[in-house]
């Protein structure tokens, strides 16, 4: 439940909201409660999380299941009497060895490296907690790893691949698919019950939170806020170049609006450019008796419609075409709102930003389907499958637009709203 602070309640500390830059007085929370910013409804603090010990047990369970989920076959296809097993690692390996190493690396990063690294990080954090170490860099790294873990997207990709191959071969779901589904469920549970940024308070309790006793000084000296560890404080430290840094995580502060916009515009424009060849070139080739048939993103959707798989066609269309294009257009609109001071509804703008931030990762669905198809339909058979040139451009576009979304500073939108409210 949301915890809104009433004037009669005892204020425990004051925090600055990372999304709208507002100051919020937060009272002591009970178990199961969380504090929200009253302006933008951004979650500031939560008591609805598991202990690091329990999260480490979940992470260890995931690592135990990982070899069965990644290395062993999840699907088996009977192609004219020849049985072919499909695994995640097999798809990545075939994609890399058959001339598409960069595309294979994108799949490897999000389907293998990021999940394993995230779980290892949680376990190492638990070890640091037992040994009373201060894992500053690890806490920063785990927050960056979280958006790139895409086991849930890969689970949907397996279903799409099964629909795509069922007209060519007899499919059998192997028992190791249970291990993959269990891993995906446990990973989702771990994401829901661990908050990397709130772990900072557990590992660095010596950095006290801003209290109401300092409130009279805030008008003269507004508090600083660190986006890397969500820490609100009055006095920053300085590095050897006399730049202000966070006293807790040592990240640079006071990033100018110009730099912030440049770090958003650059990957966004590059991602938009990549969308053109991604939609024009074939993303895959299917060989029937050595006769190639190229499929673009839109023709793949049309194929599913022709097969009568309307729901699968909708999922592929949403992930491959609608989401990437809509995400680019919405980001262009939000950036234009900042540059031209458009005074539109701030609630609507923030809702759009949160939507694209959540759904953007699902565009990786197509690359995961390609990896599964590479593993299922191998060269040398009557029916062959190969990755097309659009796969690289599409994957690069997904990565670049995700980076642009992560770099976007929503406080710039709220500054326009604040000027309008005066």
């Amino acid at each position: 439940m949301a915890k809104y602070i009433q004037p009669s309640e005892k204020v425990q500390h004051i925090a600055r909201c990372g999304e709208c830059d507002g100051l919020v007085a937060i009272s002591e929370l009970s178990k199961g409660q969380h504090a929200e910013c009253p302006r933008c409804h951004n979650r500031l603090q939560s008591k609805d999380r598991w202990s690091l010990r329990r999260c480490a047990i979940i992470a260890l369970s995931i690592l135990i299941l990982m070899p069965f989920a990644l290395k062993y076959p999840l699907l088996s296809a009977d192609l004219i009497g020849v049985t072919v097993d499909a695994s995640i690692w097999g798809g990545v390996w075939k994609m890399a060895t058959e001339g598409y190493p960069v595309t294979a690396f994108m799949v490897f990063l999000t389907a293998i490296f990021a999940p394993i690294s995230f779980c290892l990080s949680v376990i190492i954090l638990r070890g640091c907690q037992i040994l009373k170490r201060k894992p500053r860099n690890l806490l920063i790294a785990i927050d960056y790893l979280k958006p790139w873990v895409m086991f849930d997207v890969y689970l949907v990709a397996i279903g799409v691949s099964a629909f795509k191959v069922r007209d060519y071969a007899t499919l059998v779901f192997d028992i190791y698919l249970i291990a993959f589904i269990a891993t995906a469920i446990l990973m989702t549970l771990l994401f829901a019950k661990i908050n990397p940024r709130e772990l900072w308070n557990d590992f660095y309790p010596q950095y006290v939170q801003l209290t109401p006793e300092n409130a009279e000084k805030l008008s003269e000296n507004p508090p600083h806020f660190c986006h890397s560890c969500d820490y609100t404080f009055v006095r920053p430290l300085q590095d050897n170049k006399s730049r202000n840094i966070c006293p807790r995580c040592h990240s640079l502060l006071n990033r100018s609006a110009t730099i912030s916009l440049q770090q958003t515009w650059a990957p966004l424009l590059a991602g938009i450019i990549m969308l053109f060849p991604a939609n024009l070139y074939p993303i895959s080739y299917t060989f029937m008796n050595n006769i190639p048939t190229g499929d673009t993103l839109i023709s793949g959707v049309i194929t599913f419609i022709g097969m009568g798989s309307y729901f699968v066609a909708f999922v592929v269309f949403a992930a491959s075409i609608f989401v990437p294009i809509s995400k680019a257009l919405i980001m262009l609109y939000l950036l234009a709102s900042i540059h031209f001071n458009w005074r539109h509804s701030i609630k609507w703008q923030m809702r759009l930003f949160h939507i694209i931030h959540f759904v953007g990762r699902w565009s990786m669905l197509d690359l995961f389907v390609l990896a599964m198809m590479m593993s299922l339909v191998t060269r040398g058979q009557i029916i062959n499958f190969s990755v097309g040139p659009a796969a690289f451009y599409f994957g690069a576009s997904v990565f670049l637009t995700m980076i642009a979304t992560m770099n976007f500073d929503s406080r710039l939108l709220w500054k326009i709203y604040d000027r309008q409210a005066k």
Side-chain angles (χ1 to χ4, degrees):
M1 58 176 290
K3 179 70 174 177
Y4 295 98
I5 307 305
Q6 303 296 329
S8 58
E9 297 186 63
K10 182 181 179 181
V11 175
Q12 185 184 34
H13 69 277
I14 297 172
R16 197 163 190 170
C17 178
E19 285 203 356
C20 69
D21 223 17
L23 286 176
V24 183
I26 301 176
S27 70
E28 187 173 356
L29 303 178
S30 302
K31 187 176 180 179
Q33 293 181 322
H34 68 262
E36 288 184 355
C37 174
R39 290 217 304 171
C40 65
H41 302 290
N42 177 38
R43 182 173 291 195
L44 302 175
Q45 188 179 352
S46 175
K47 289 290 185 179
D48 184 23
R49 64 184 179 102
W50 283 351
S51 66
L52 187 54
R53 175 179 174 273
R54 184 180 293 184
C55 291
I57 293 173
I58 297 293
L60 182 60
S61 303
I62 293 173
L63 287 180
I64 293 173
L65 290 171
M66 280 283 189
F68 303 99
L70 300 178
K71 185 68 173 64
Y72 289 88
L74 307 178
L75 301 174
S76 295
D78 186 0
L79 287 166
I80 317 177
V82 179
T83 301
V84 181
D85 296 326
S87 65
I88 294 178
W89 174 252
V92 173
W93 182 254
K94 287 182 180 178
M95 189 180 286
T97 54
E98 294 186 9
Y100 309 97
V102 179
T103 308
F105 176 74
M106 296 179 190
V107 178
F108 170 80
L109 185 67
T110 53
I112 300 176
F113 177 78
I116 293 176
S117 299
F118 185 81
C119 293
L120 283 174
S121 299
V122 174
I123 295 172
I124 296 173
L125 279 178
R126 172 57 180 164
C128 292
Q129 188 181 53
I130 295 173
L131 299 175
K132 301 187 184 306
R133 302 288 184 178
K134 304 296 183 184
R136 177 178 284 110
N137 294 329
L138 188 60
L139 285 168
I140 295 175
I142 198 173
D143 201 36
Y144 284 110
L145 278 172
K146 195 173 179 180
W148 301 101
V149 179
M150 301 184 185
F151 252 59
D152 49 347
V153 182
Y154 215 117
L155 186 60
V156 177
I158 293 174
V160 174
S161 302
F163 273 96
K164 199 166 186 176
V165 179
R166 66 177 183 172
D167 282 357
Y168 305 109
T170 302
L171 279 177
V172 177
F173 291 96
D174 288 286
I175 192 170
Y176 297 106
L177 182 61
I178 299 176
F180 185 88
I181 295 173
T183 304
I185 293 173
L186 288 175
M187 188 71 74
T188 304
L189 186 64
L190 182 61
F191 275 18
K193 293 301 182 179
I194 189 172
N195 189 331
R197 294 193 172 186
E198 290 190 5
L199 290 173
W200 284 96
N201 294 328
D202 298 337
F203 282 98
Y204 293 87
Q206 66 271 29
Y207 292 99
V208 297
Q209 296 169 319
L210 195 62
T211 58
E213 286 72 19
N214 306 110
E216 65 275 3
K217 302 177 182 179
L218 296 183
S219 58
E220 304 172 1
N221 186 20
H224 298 269
F225 179 79
C226 176
H227 276 274
S228 296
C229 66
D230 278 4
Y231 184 41
T232 304
F233 54 95
V234 176
R235 294 183 183 84
L237 297 179
Q238 289 192 330
D239 60 8
N240 53 9
K241 296 182 180 179
S242 299
R243 297 176 299 183
N244 288 340
I245 60 174
C246 173
R248 188 161 69 173
C249 70
H250 295 176
S251 299
L252 288 175
L253 303 173
N254 302 326
R255 184 177 62 167
S256 67
T258 303
I259 297 297
S260 176
L261 290 171
Q262 288 176 352
Q263 291 176 343
T264 305
W265 272 112
L268 177 62
L269 292 178
I272 291 174
I273 292 172
M274 292 292 182
L275 275 178
F276 289 98
N279 284 274
L280 296 176
Y281 290 143
I283 196 168
S284 65
Y285 290 103
T286 303
F287 295 82
M288 297 286 292
N289 297 319
N290 292 324
I291 300 176
T293 302
D295 279 324
T296 60
L297 290 172
I298 190 64
S299 68
V301 175
I302 295 173
T303 300
F304 279 119
I305 294 176
M307 294 167 58
S309 303
Y310 300 109
F311 177 74
V312 179
F314 169 77
V315 171
V316 174
F317 172 78
S320 306
I321 299 174
F322 180 76
V323 168
I325 294 176
S326 299
K327 184 176 181 179
L329 292 175
I330 291 173
M331 285 298 296
L332 287 174
Y333 161 70
L334 295 178
L335 288 168
S337 298
I338 294 172
H339 281 283
F340 298 106
N341 291 318
W342 291 345
R343 299 180 177 181
H344 299 161
S345 170
I346 188 63
K347 291 184 178 180
W348 174 244
Q349 290 174 329
M350 292 303 298
R351 189 175 292 115
L352 288 175
F353 175 65
H354 289 149
I355 289 173
I356 62 173
H357 195 275
F358 173 76
V359 303
R361 59 200 294 273
W362 284 89
S363 297
M364 283 295 293
L365 177 70
D366 247 340
L367 288 191
F368 294 161
V369 171
L370 292 178
M372 287 299 297
M373 292 294 293
M374 286 290 287
S375 185
L376 271 174
V377 188
T378 58
R379 296 188 180 186
Q381 299 169 338
I382 295 176
I383 303 172
N384 294 331
F385 183 85
S386 179
V387 176
F392 163 74
Y393 298 106
F394 183 79
S397 175
V398 175
F399 271 60
L400 288 166
T401 51
M402 283 184 66
I403 293 171
T405 306
M406 294 174 188
N407 289 337
F408 182 76
D409 190 353
S410 60
R411 295 178 300 174
L412 300 176
L413 289 172
W414 282 95
K415 287 182 179 179
I416 298 173
Y417 171 79
D418 291 336
R419 288 197 296 267
Q420 178 186 8
K422 290 182 180 178

